[in-house]
Amino acid sequence: MNLLQRLKYAIESDFKVEASPENPLARLNQYINEAEAQTNDTKKYLERQVSLKQHLEAQLTKAQEILAKREEQLQLAKQAGEQDLIVFAETEQAVYTSRVQLLSQSIHNTTNELIALEQKHEQMKHKIEDMKILQLQLMGYENNVRANYHMDAMLNPETQKHVSTVDDMRYYIDNLQSPTQVVDPTSSLEARLNALQHEAPKQLPTLEKGE
């Protein structure tokens, strides 16, 4: 079903006809609402990722401070010849050196993941803006059809048939110039399947007589 046919359902509402789920504006409004809800949900994950990164950075700072402190204490213990303190300080130094390396790598990975999430979140917002532009295009076309009908009814009353039924309105719309086709966000796969089904009979081999 093309845009022009779907638009009939929107115009039929003026004649108290039950609205169809094929109304393109209603469907697009639904897409936009769902996309905005999903984008808000992913924003929460994004904010949590930022918080986790900050927590890792705080842990790294703490580990680095303790490591520096243990290294200084190790030197003092060696100067004092306190063997038990030397062993303790060396153990602590090894533990915090490993912890600093682990935290540094974790922060590096988390930063890369955060960048990827931010990029996808921006893409989602751009997608919503694109859908809102499409929404304005559909609204503009629908408004143009309605305006042309009422103007033609006044300017050319002798040639403009009075619309008294839904069929009359359909006839009027069908005789208007078709707009540039707008791609339905969910129709591409369906269109490809329909095209494949249409082409299938042409690809079947012709059976020769006697076979």
Side-chain angles (χ1 to χ4, degrees):
M1 180 177 292
N2 60 33
L3 176 62
L4 192 58
Q5 292 172 321
R6 290 179 180 179
L7 189 56
K8 295 175 185 176
Y9 293 99
I11 297 178
E12 286 173 1
S13 63
D14 286 349
F15 297 88
K16 308 303 180 182
V17 177
E18 182 179 357
S20 166
E22 291 298 319
N23 185 323
L25 284 176
R27 291 182 62 188
L28 188 56
N29 288 337
Q30 181 181 354
Y31 296 150
I32 292 174
N33 291 337
E34 291 175 354
E36 288 179 332
Q38 291 174 358
T39 302
N40 290 333
D41 287 340
T42 57
K43 184 179 180 181
K44 297 177 183 177
Y45 295 119
L46 187 61
E47 292 172 346
R48 177 169 174 76
Q49 194 76 1
V50 172
S51 177
L52 292 172
K53 179 174 177 288
Q54 292 173 343
H55 185 68
L56 287 171
E57 290 171 339
Q59 291 295 314
L60 175 60
T61 299
K62 180 180 178 181
Q64 289 172 330
E65 291 175 350
I66 296 177
L67 176 59
K69 180 179 180 180
R70 292 293 184 255
E71 288 175 341
E72 182 180 350
Q73 291 173 339
L74 176 59
Q75 296 303 317
L76 293 174
K78 287 180 178 180
Q79 293 174 6
E82 299 287 345
Q83 190 59 38
D84 56 339
L85 294 179
I86 292 173
V87 173
F88 175 76
E90 286 178 341
T91 302
E92 287 282 287
Q93 181 187 37
V95 169
Y96 281 99
T97 297
S98 177
R99 186 169 299 174
V100 167
Q101 293 174 348
L102 176 61
L103 287 167
S104 297
Q105 184 61 45
S106 296
I107 292 172
H108 175 74
N109 295 339
T110 302
T111 300
N112 290 338
E113 293 167 353
L114 179 59
I115 292 173
L117 288 175
E118 288 175 339
Q119 291 174 341
K120 288 185 178 181
H121 189 254
E122 289 300 317
Q123 290 174 1
M124 293 179 73
K125 292 194 293 184
H126 287 311
K127 187 66 176 179
I128 292 175
E129 292 302 316
D130 289 341
M131 286 193 290
K132 288 183 177 180
I133 292 174
L134 176 59
Q135 180 187 48
L136 292 174
Q137 291 175 333
L138 289 172
M139 292 173 64
Y141 176 68
E142 178 184 353
N143 185 70
N144 181 63
V145 170
R146 295 175 186 273
N148 271 289
Y149 165 73
H150 291 293
M151 290 178 180
D152 290 346
M154 177 180 178
L155 297 174
N156 303 294
E158 68 284 356
T159 59
Q160 180 66 25
K161 180 181 178 181
H162 177 66
V163 175
S164 57
T165 67
V166 171
D167 288 337
D168 291 338
M169 176 57 80
R170 287 177 175 172
Y171 177 82
Y172 177 79
I173 296 176
D174 286 337
N175 284 275
L176 290 176
Q177 183 177 0
S178 178
T180 302
Q181 184 177 3
V182 180
V183 178
D184 189 321
T186 61
S187 67
S188 59
L189 293 177
E190 182 179 356
R192 288 171 57 191
L193 287 174
N194 290 336
L196 185 63
Q197 183 180 20
H198 179 71
E199 293 295 329
K202 300 179 181 179
Q203 298 176 0
L204 293 176
T206 304
L207 297 178
E208 296 182 0
K209 294 182 179 180
E211 292 186 356

Coordinates of all heavy atoms in Angstrom, one line a residue, residues 6-86:
R6 N -2.7 5.1 1.8 CA -2.8 5.2 3.2 C -3.4 6.5 3.7 O -4.1 6.6 4.7 CB -1.4 5.0 3.9 CG -0.8 3.6 3.7 CD 0.5 3.5 4.3 NE 1.1 2.2 4.2 CZ 2.3 1.8 4.6 NH1 3.1 2.7 5.2 NH2 2.7 0.6 4.5
L7 N -3.1 7.5 2.9 CA -3.6 8.9 3.3 C -5.2 8.9 3.2 O -5.8 9.7 3.9 CB -3.0 9.9 2.4 CG -3.3 11.4 2.7 CD1 -2.8 11.6 4.1 CD2 -2.6 12.3 1.7
K8 N -5.7 8.0 2.4 CA -7.2 8.0 2.3 C -7.8 7.7 3.7 O -8.9 8.3 4.0 CB -7.6 6.8 1.4 CG -7.2 7.1 -0.1 CD -7.6 5.9 -0.9 CE -7.1 6.0 -2.4 NZ -7.3 4.8 -3.1
Y9 N -7.2 6.9 4.5 CA -7.7 6.5 5.8 C -7.8 7.7 6.7 O -8.7 7.9 7.5 CB -6.9 5.4 6.4 CG -7.0 4.1 5.7 CD1 -6.1 3.7 4.8 CD2 -8.1 3.3 5.9 CE1 -6.2 2.5 4.1 CE2 -8.3 2.1 5.2 CZ -7.3 1.7 4.3 OH -7.4 0.5 3.7
A10 N -6.7 8.6 6.6 CA -6.7 9.8 7.4 C -7.8 10.7 7.0 O -8.4 11.3 7.9 CB -5.3 10.5 7.3
I11 N -8.0 10.8 5.7 CA -9.1 11.8 5.3 C -10.5 11.2 5.5 O -11.4 11.9 5.8 CB -8.9 12.1 3.8 CG1 -7.5 12.8 3.6 CG2 -10.0 12.9 3.2 CD1 -7.2 13.1 2.2
E12 N -10.6 9.9 5.5 CA -11.9 9.3 5.8 C -12.4 9.6 7.2 O -13.6 9.6 7.5 CB -11.8 7.8 5.6 CG -11.7 7.3 4.2 CD -11.5 5.9 4.0 OE1 -11.4 5.2 5.1 OE2 -11.4 5.4 2.9
S13 N -11.5 10.0 8.1 CA -11.9 10.4 9.5 C -12.8 11.6 9.5 O -13.6 11.8 10.3 CB -10.6 10.6 10.3 OG -9.9 11.7 9.8
D14 N -12.6 12.4 8.4 CA -13.5 13.6 8.3 C -14.9 13.2 8.1 O -15.9 14.0 8.3 CB -13.0 14.5 7.2 CG -11.8 15.3 7.5 OD1 -11.4 15.2 8.7 OD2 -11.1 15.9 6.6
F15 N -15.1 12.0 7.6 CA -16.5 11.5 7.2 C -17.0 10.5 8.3 O -17.9 9.7 8.0 CB -16.5 10.9 5.8 CG -16.1 11.9 4.8 CD1 -14.8 12.1 4.4 CD2 -17.1 12.6 4.1 CE1 -14.5 13.0 3.4 CE2 -16.8 13.5 3.1 CZ -15.5 13.7 2.8
K16 N -16.4 10.6 9.5 CA -16.8 9.7 10.6 C -16.6 8.3 10.3 O -17.4 7.4 10.7 CB -18.2 10.0 11.0 CG -18.5 11.5 11.2 CD -17.6 12.1 12.3 CE -18.0 13.6 12.5 NZ -17.1 14.2 13.5
V17 N -15.6 8.0 9.5 CA -15.3 6.6 9.1 C -14.3 6.1 10.1 O -13.4 6.8 10.5 CB -14.8 6.4 7.7 CG1 -14.4 5.0 7.4 CG2 -15.8 6.9 6.7
E18 N -14.4 4.8 10.6 CA -13.5 4.2 11.5 C -12.1 4.3 11.0 O -11.8 4.0 9.9 CB -13.9 2.8 11.8 CG -13.0 2.1 12.9 CD -13.4 0.7 13.1 OE1 -14.4 0.3 12.5 OE2 -12.7 0.0 13.9
A19 N -11.2 4.8 11.9 CA -9.8 5.0 11.5 C -9.1 3.6 11.3 O -9.4 2.6 12.0 CB -9.0 5.7 12.6
S20 N -8.2 3.5 10.3 CA -7.5 2.3 10.1 C -6.2 2.3 10.7 O -5.5 3.3 10.8 CB -7.4 2.1 8.5 OG -6.5 1.1 8.2
P21 N -5.7 1.1 11.1 CA -4.3 1.0 11.6 C -3.2 1.4 10.6 O -2.1 1.5 10.9 CB -4.2 -0.4 12.1 CG -5.2 -1.2 11.3 CD -6.3 -0.2 11.1
E22 N -3.7 1.4 9.3 CA -2.7 1.8 8.2 C -2.5 3.2 8.1 O -1.7 3.7 7.2 CB -3.3 1.2 6.9 CG -3.3 -0.3 6.8 CD -1.8 -0.9 6.9 OE1 -0.9 -0.3 6.3 OE2 -1.7 -1.9 7.6
N23 N -3.1 4.1 8.9 CA -2.9 5.5 8.9 C -1.4 5.8 9.1 O -0.9 5.5 10.1 CB -3.7 6.1 10.0 CG -3.6 7.7 10.0 OD1 -2.6 8.2 9.7 ND2 -4.7 8.3 10.3
P24 N -0.7 6.3 8.1 CA 0.7 6.5 8.2 C 1.1 7.4 9.3 O 2.2 7.2 10.0 CB 1.1 7.1 6.8 CG -0.2 7.7 6.3 CD -1.3 6.9 6.8
L25 N 0.4 8.5 9.6 CA 0.7 9.4 10.6 C 0.6 8.7 12.0 O 1.5 8.9 12.9 CB -0.1 10.7 10.6 CG 0.2 11.7 9.5 CD1 -0.8 12.8 9.4 CD2 1.6 12.2 9.7
A26 N -0.5 8.0 12.2 CA -0.7 7.3 13.4 C 0.5 6.3 13.7 O 1.0 6.2 14.8 CB -2.0 6.6 13.5
R27 N 0.8 5.6 12.6 CA 1.9 4.6 12.8 C 3.2 5.3 13.1 O 4.0 4.8 13.9 CB 2.0 3.8 11.5 CG 0.8 2.8 11.2 CD 1.1 2.0 10.0 NE 2.2 1.2 10.1 CZ 2.7 0.4 9.1 NH1 2.1 0.5 7.9 NH2 3.8 -0.3 9.3
L28 N 3.5 6.4 12.4 CA 4.8 7.1 12.6 C 4.8 7.7 14.0 O 5.9 7.7 14.6 CB 4.9 8.2 11.5 CG 6.3 8.9 11.5 CD1 7.4 7.9 11.3 CD2 6.3 9.9 10.4
N29 N 3.7 8.2 14.5 CA 3.7 8.7 15.8 C 4.0 7.6 16.8 O 4.7 7.8 17.8 CB 2.3 9.3 16.1 CG 2.0 10.6 15.4 OD1 2.9 11.3 15.0 ND2 0.7 10.9 15.2
Q30 N 3.5 6.4 16.5 CA 3.8 5.3 17.4 C 5.3 5.0 17.4 O 5.9 4.7 18.4 CB 3.0 4.1 17.0 CG 3.2 2.8 17.9 CD 2.4 1.7 17.4 OE1 1.6 1.7 16.5 NE2 2.7 0.5 18.0
Y31 N 5.9 5.0 16.2 CA 7.3 4.7 16.0 C 8.1 5.7 16.8 O 9.1 5.4 17.5 CB 7.7 4.8 14.6 CG 7.1 3.8 13.6 CD1 6.9 4.1 12.3 CD2 6.8 2.5 14.1 CE1 6.3 3.1 11.4 CE2 6.2 1.6 13.3 CZ 6.0 1.9 11.9 OH 5.4 1.0 11.1
I32 N 7.7 7.0 16.7 CA 8.5 8.0 17.4 C 8.4 7.9 18.9 O 9.4 8.0 19.6 CB 8.0 9.4 17.0 CG1 8.3 9.7 15.5 CG2 8.6 10.5 17.8 CD1 7.7 11.0 14.9
N33 N 7.2 7.6 19.4 CA 7.0 7.4 20.9 C 7.8 6.3 21.4 O 8.5 6.3 22.4 CB 5.5 7.2 21.2 CG 4.7 8.5 21.0 OD1 5.2 9.6 21.0 ND2 3.4 8.3 20.7
E34 N 7.8 5.2 20.6 CA 8.6 4.0 21.1 C 10.1 4.3 21.0 O 10.8 3.8 21.9 CB 8.2 2.8 20.2 CG 6.8 2.3 20.4 CD 6.5 1.2 19.4 OE1 7.3 0.9 18.5 OE2 5.4 0.6 19.5
A35 N 10.5 4.9 20.0 CA 12.0 5.3 19.8 C 12.4 6.2 20.9 O 13.5 6.0 21.5 CB 12.2 5.9 18.4
E36 N 11.6 7.2 21.3 CA 12.0 8.1 22.4 C 12.0 7.4 23.7 O 12.9 7.7 24.5 CB 10.9 9.2 22.4 CG 11.1 10.2 21.3 CD 10.1 11.3 21.3 OE1 9.0 11.1 21.9 OE2 10.3 12.4 20.8
A37 N 11.1 6.4 23.9 CA 11.2 5.7 25.2 C 12.4 4.8 25.2 O 13.1 4.7 26.3 CB 9.9 4.8 25.3
Q38 N 12.8 4.2 24.1 CA 14.0 3.3 24.1 C 15.3 4.2 24.3 O 16.2 3.8 24.9 CB 14.1 2.6 22.7 CG 13.0 1.5 22.6 CD 13.0 0.9 21.2 OE1 13.8 1.3 20.3 NE2 12.2 -0.1 21.0
T39 N 15.2 5.4 23.7 CA 16.4 6.3 23.8 C 16.6 6.7 25.3 O 17.7 6.8 25.8 CB 16.2 7.5 22.9 OG1 16.1 7.1 21.5 CG2 17.4 8.4 23.0
N40 N 15.5 7.0 25.9 CA 15.5 7.4 27.3 C 16.1 6.3 28.2 O 16.8 6.5 29.2 CB 14.2 7.9 27.8 CG 13.7 9.2 27.2 OD1 14.6 10.0 26.8 ND2 12.5 9.4 27.1
D41 N 15.6 5.0 27.9 CA 16.1 3.9 28.6 C 17.6 3.7 28.4 O 18.3 3.4 29.4 CB 15.4 2.6 28.2 CG 14.0 2.6 28.7 OD1 13.6 3.3 29.6 OD2 13.1 1.8 28.1
T42 N 18.1 3.8 27.2 CA 19.5 3.6 27.0 C 20.3 4.8 27.6 O 21.5 4.5 28.0 CB 19.8 3.6 25.5 OG1 19.3 4.8 24.8 CG2 19.2 2.4 24.8
K43 N 19.7 5.9 27.8 CA 20.5 7.0 28.4 C 20.8 6.7 29.9 O 21.8 7.0 30.4 CB 19.6 8.3 28.4 CG 20.3 9.5 28.9 CD 19.4 10.8 28.8 CE 20.2 12.0 29.4 NZ 19.3 13.2 29.3
K44 N 19.9 5.9 30.5 CA 20.2 5.5 31.9 C 21.4 4.6 31.9 O 22.2 4.7 32.9 CB 18.9 4.8 32.4 CG 17.7 5.6 32.5 CD 16.5 4.8 33.0 CE 15.2 5.7 33.0 NZ 14.0 4.9 33.4
Y45 N 21.5 3.7 31.0 CA 22.7 2.8 30.9 C 23.9 3.6 30.7 O 25.0 3.3 31.2 CB 22.5 1.7 29.8 CG 21.4 0.8 30.1 CD1 20.3 0.7 29.2 CD2 21.4 -0.1 31.2 CE1 19.3 -0.2 29.4 CE2 20.3 -0.9 31.4 CZ 19.3 -1.0 30.5 OH 18.3 -1.9 30.7
L46 N 23.8 4.6 29.8 CA 24.9 5.5 29.5 C 25.4 6.2 30.8 O 26.6 6.3 31.1 CB 24.5 6.5 28.4 CG 25.6 7.4 27.8 CD1 26.7 6.5 27.2 CD2 25.0 8.3 26.8
E47 N 24.5 6.7 31.5 CA 24.8 7.4 32.8 C 25.4 6.5 33.8 O 26.4 6.9 34.5 CB 23.5 8.1 33.3 CG 23.0 9.2 32.5 CD 21.7 9.7 33.0 OE1 21.0 9.0 33.8 OE2 21.2 10.8 32.5
R48 N 25.0 5.3 33.8 CA 25.5 4.3 34.7 C 27.0 3.9 34.3 O 27.8 3.8 35.2 CB 24.7 3.0 34.8 CG 25.3 1.9 35.7 CD 24.3 0.8 35.9 NE 24.9 -0.3 36.6 CZ 25.1 -0.3 37.9 NH1 24.8 0.7 38.6 NH2 25.7 -1.4 38.5
Q49 N 27.2 3.9 33.0 CA 28.6 3.6 32.6 C 29.5 4.7 33.0 O 30.7 4.5 33.3 CB 28.6 3.4 31.0 CG 29.8 2.8 30.4 CD 29.9 1.3 30.7 OE1 29.0 0.7 31.3 NE2 31.0 0.7 30.2
V50 N 29.1 5.9 32.9 CA 29.9 7.1 33.3 C 30.2 7.0 34.8 O 31.3 7.2 35.3 CB 29.1 8.4 33.0 CG1 29.9 9.6 33.6 CG2 29.0 8.6 31.5
S51 N 29.2 6.6 35.6 CA 29.3 6.5 37.0 C 30.4 5.4 37.4 O 31.2 5.5 38.3 CB 28.0 6.2 37.7 OG 28.1 6.0 39.1
L52 N 30.3 4.2 36.7 CA 31.2 3.1 36.9 C 32.6 3.6 36.6 O 33.6 3.2 37.3 CB 30.8 1.9 36.1 CG 29.5 1.2 36.5 CD1 29.1 0.2 35.5 CD2 29.6 0.6 37.9
K53 N 32.8 4.3 35.5 CA 34.1 4.8 35.1 C 34.7 5.7 36.2 O 35.9 5.6 36.5 CB 34.0 5.5 33.7 CG 35.4 6.1 33.2 CD 35.2 6.6 31.8 CE 36.5 7.3 31.3 NZ 36.8 8.5 32.0
Q54 N 33.9 6.6 36.7 CA 34.3 7.5 37.7 C 34.7 6.7 39.0 O 35.7 7.1 39.7 CB 33.2 8.5 38.0 CG 32.9 9.5 36.9 CD 31.7 10.4 37.1 OE1 30.9 10.1 38.0 NE2 31.6 11.5 36.4
H55 N 34.0 5.7 39.3 CA 34.3 4.9 40.5 C 35.6 4.2 40.3 O 36.4 4.1 41.2 CB 33.2 3.8 40.7 CG 33.4 3.0 41.9 ND1 33.3 3.6 43.2 CD2 33.7 1.7 42.1 CE1 33.5 2.6 44.1 NE2 33.7 1.5 43.5
L56 N 35.9 3.6 39.1 CA 37.1 3.0 38.8 C 38.3 4.0 38.9 O 39.4 3.7 39.4 CB 37.1 2.4 37.4 CG 36.3 1.1 37.2 CD1 36.2 0.7 35.7 CD2 36.9 -0.1 38.0
E57 N 38.1 5.2 38.4 CA 39.1 6.2 38.5 C 39.4 6.6 39.9 O 40.6 6.8 40.3 CB 38.7 7.5 37.7 CG 38.6 7.2 36.2 CD 38.0 8.4 35.4 OE1 37.2 9.2 36.1 OE2 38.2 8.5 34.2
A58 N 38.4 6.6 40.8 CA 38.6 6.9 42.2 C 39.4 5.8 42.8 O 40.3 6.1 43.6 CB 37.3 7.1 42.9
Q59 N 39.1 4.6 42.5 CA 39.8 3.4 43.0 C 41.3 3.4 42.5 O 42.2 3.1 43.3 CB 39.2 2.1 42.6 CG 37.8 1.9 43.2 CD 37.9 1.6 44.7 OE1 38.8 0.9 45.2 NE2 37.1 2.3 45.5
L60 N 41.5 3.9 41.3 CA 42.9 3.9 40.8 C 43.7 5.0 41.5 O 44.9 4.7 41.9 CB 42.9 4.3 39.3 CG 44.2 4.5 38.6 CD1 45.1 3.2 38.7 CD2 44.0 4.9 37.2
T61 N 43.1 6.1 41.8 CA 43.8 7.2 42.5 C 44.2 6.7 43.9 O 45.3 7.0 44.4 CB 42.9 8.4 42.6 OG1 42.6 8.9 41.3 CG2 43.6 9.5 43.4
K62 N 43.2 6.0 44.5 CA 43.5 5.5 45.9 C 44.6 4.5 45.9 O 45.5 4.5 46.7 CB 42.2 4.9 46.4 CG 42.4 4.3 47.8 CD 41.1 3.7 48.3 CE 41.2 3.1 49.7 NZ 39.9 2.5 50.2
A63 N 44.6 3.6 44.9 CA 45.6 2.5 44.8 C 47.0 3.2 44.5 O 48.0 2.7 45.0 CB 45.3 1.5 43.7
Q64 N 47.0 4.2 43.6 CA 48.3 4.8 43.3 C 48.9 5.5 44.5 O 50.1 5.5 44.8 CB 48.1 5.8 42.2 CG 47.8 5.2 40.8 CD 47.4 6.2 39.8 OE1 46.8 7.2 40.1 NE2 47.8 5.9 38.5
E65 N 48.0 6.1 45.3 CA 48.5 6.8 46.6 C 49.1 5.8 47.5 O 50.1 6.1 48.1 CB 47.3 7.6 47.2 CG 46.9 8.8 46.4 CD 45.7 9.5 47.0 OE1 45.0 8.9 47.9 OE2 45.3 10.5 46.5
I66 N 48.4 4.7 47.7 CA 48.9 3.7 48.7 C 50.2 3.0 48.1 O 51.1 2.8 48.9 CB 47.8 2.6 48.9 CG1 46.6 3.2 49.6 CG2 48.4 1.4 49.7 CD1 45.4 2.2 49.8
L67 N 50.3 2.8 46.8 CA 51.5 2.3 46.2 C 52.7 3.2 46.5 O 53.8 2.7 46.9 CB 51.3 2.1 44.7 CG 52.5 1.6 44.0 CD1 53.0 0.3 44.5 CD2 52.2 1.5 42.5
A68 N 52.5 4.5 46.3 CA 53.6 5.4 46.5 C 54.0 5.4 48.0 O 55.2 5.5 48.3 CB 53.1 6.8 46.1
K69 N 53.0 5.3 48.9 CA 53.3 5.3 50.3 C 54.1 4.1 50.7 O 55.0 4.1 51.5 CB 51.9 5.4 51.1 CG 52.1 5.4 52.6 CD 50.7 5.4 53.2 CE 50.9 5.4 54.8 NZ 49.5 5.5 55.4
R70 N 53.7 2.9 50.1 CA 54.4 1.6 50.5 C 55.8 1.7 49.9 O 56.7 1.1 50.5 CB 53.6 0.5 49.9 CG 52.3 0.2 50.6 CD 52.5 -0.3 52.0 NE 51.2 -0.6 52.7 CZ 50.6 0.2 53.5 NH1 51.1 1.3 53.9 NH2 49.5 -0.2 54.1
E71 N 56.0 2.2 48.7 CA 57.3 2.3 48.2 C 58.2 3.2 49.0 O 59.4 2.8 49.3 CB 57.3 2.9 46.7 CG 56.7 1.9 45.7 CD 56.5 2.5 44.4 OE1 56.5 3.8 44.3 OE2 56.4 1.8 43.4
E72 N 57.7 4.3 49.5 CA 58.5 5.1 50.5 C 58.8 4.4 51.8 O 59.9 4.5 52.3 CB 57.7 6.4 50.7 CG 58.4 7.4 51.6 CD 57.6 8.6 51.9 OE1 56.6 8.9 51.2 OE2 58.1 9.4 52.8
Q73 N 57.8 3.7 52.3 CA 58.0 2.9 53.5 C 59.0 1.8 53.4 O 59.7 1.5 54.3 CB 56.6 2.4 54.0 CG 55.7 3.5 54.5 CD 54.3 2.9 54.8 OE1 53.9 1.9 54.4 NE2 53.5 3.7 55.6
L74 N 59.0 1.2 52.2 CA 59.9 0.1 51.9 C 61.4 0.6 52.0 O 62.2 0.0 52.6 CB 59.7 -0.5 50.5 CG 60.7 -1.6 50.0 CD1 60.7 -2.8 51.0 CD2 60.3 -2.0 48.6
Q75 N 61.6 1.8 51.4 CA 62.9 2.4 51.5 C 63.3 2.7 53.0 O 64.5 2.4 53.4 CB 63.0 3.7 50.7 CG 62.8 3.4 49.2 CD 63.8 2.5 48.6 OE1 65.0 2.5 48.9 NE2 63.3 1.6 47.8
L76 N 62.4 3.2 53.7 CA 62.7 3.5 55.1 C 63.0 2.2 55.9 O 63.9 2.1 56.8 CB 61.5 4.2 55.8 CG 61.2 5.6 55.3 CD1 60.0 6.2 55.9 CD2 62.4 6.5 55.6
A77 N 62.2 1.1 55.6 CA 62.4 -0.2 56.3 C 63.8 -0.8 56.0 O 64.4 -1.3 56.8 CB 61.3 -1.1 55.9
K78 N 64.2 -0.6 54.7 CA 65.5 -1.1 54.3 C 66.6 -0.3 55.0 O 67.6 -0.9 55.5 CB 65.7 -1.0 52.8 CG 64.8 -2.0 52.0 CD 65.0 -1.9 50.5 CE 64.3 -2.9 49.8 NZ 64.5 -2.8 48.3
Q79 N 66.4 1.0 55.1 CA 67.4 1.8 55.8 C 67.5 1.4 57.3 O 68.6 1.5 57.9 CB 67.1 3.3 55.6 CG 67.2 3.8 54.2 CD 66.7 5.2 54.1 OE1 66.4 5.9 55.1 NE2 66.7 5.7 52.8
A80 N 66.4 1.1 57.9 CA 66.4 0.7 59.3 C 66.7 -0.7 59.5 O 67.0 -1.1 60.7 CB 65.0 1.0 59.9
G81 N 66.8 -1.5 58.5 CA 67.1 -2.9 58.6 C 66.1 -3.8 59.3 O 66.4 -4.8 59.8
E82 N 64.8 -3.3 59.2 CA 63.7 -4.1 59.8 C 63.2 -5.1 58.7 O 62.4 -4.8 57.9 CB 62.6 -3.1 60.2 CG 63.0 -2.1 61.2 CD 63.1 -2.7 62.6 OE1 62.6 -3.9 62.8 OE2 63.7 -2.1 63.5
Q83 N 63.6 -6.3 58.9 CA 63.3 -7.4 57.9 C 61.8 -7.6 57.7 O 61.3 -7.8 56.6 CB 64.1 -8.6 58.2 CG 64.1 -9.7 57.1 CD 64.7 -9.2 55.8 OE1 65.7 -8.4 55.8 NE2 64.1 -9.5 54.7
D84 N 61.1 -7.8 58.9 CA 59.7 -8.0 58.8 C 58.9 -6.9 58.1 O 58.0 -7.2 57.4 CB 59.1 -8.3 60.2 CG 59.4 -7.2 61.2 OD1 60.3 -6.4 60.9 OD2 58.7 -7.1 62.2
L85 N 59.4 -5.7 58.4 CA 58.7 -4.5 57.7 C 59.1 -4.5 56.2 O 58.2 -4.1 55.4 CB 59.1 -3.2 58.4 CG 58.6 -3.0 59.8 CD1 59.1 -1.7 60.4 CD2 57.1 -3.1 59.9
I86 N 60.3 -4.9 55.9 CA 60.7 -5.0 54.5 C 59.8 -6.0 53.7 O 59.3 -5.7 52.6 CB 62.2 -5.4 54.4 CG1 63.1 -4.2 54.9 CG2 62.5 -5.7 52.9 CD1 64.5 -4.6 55.0

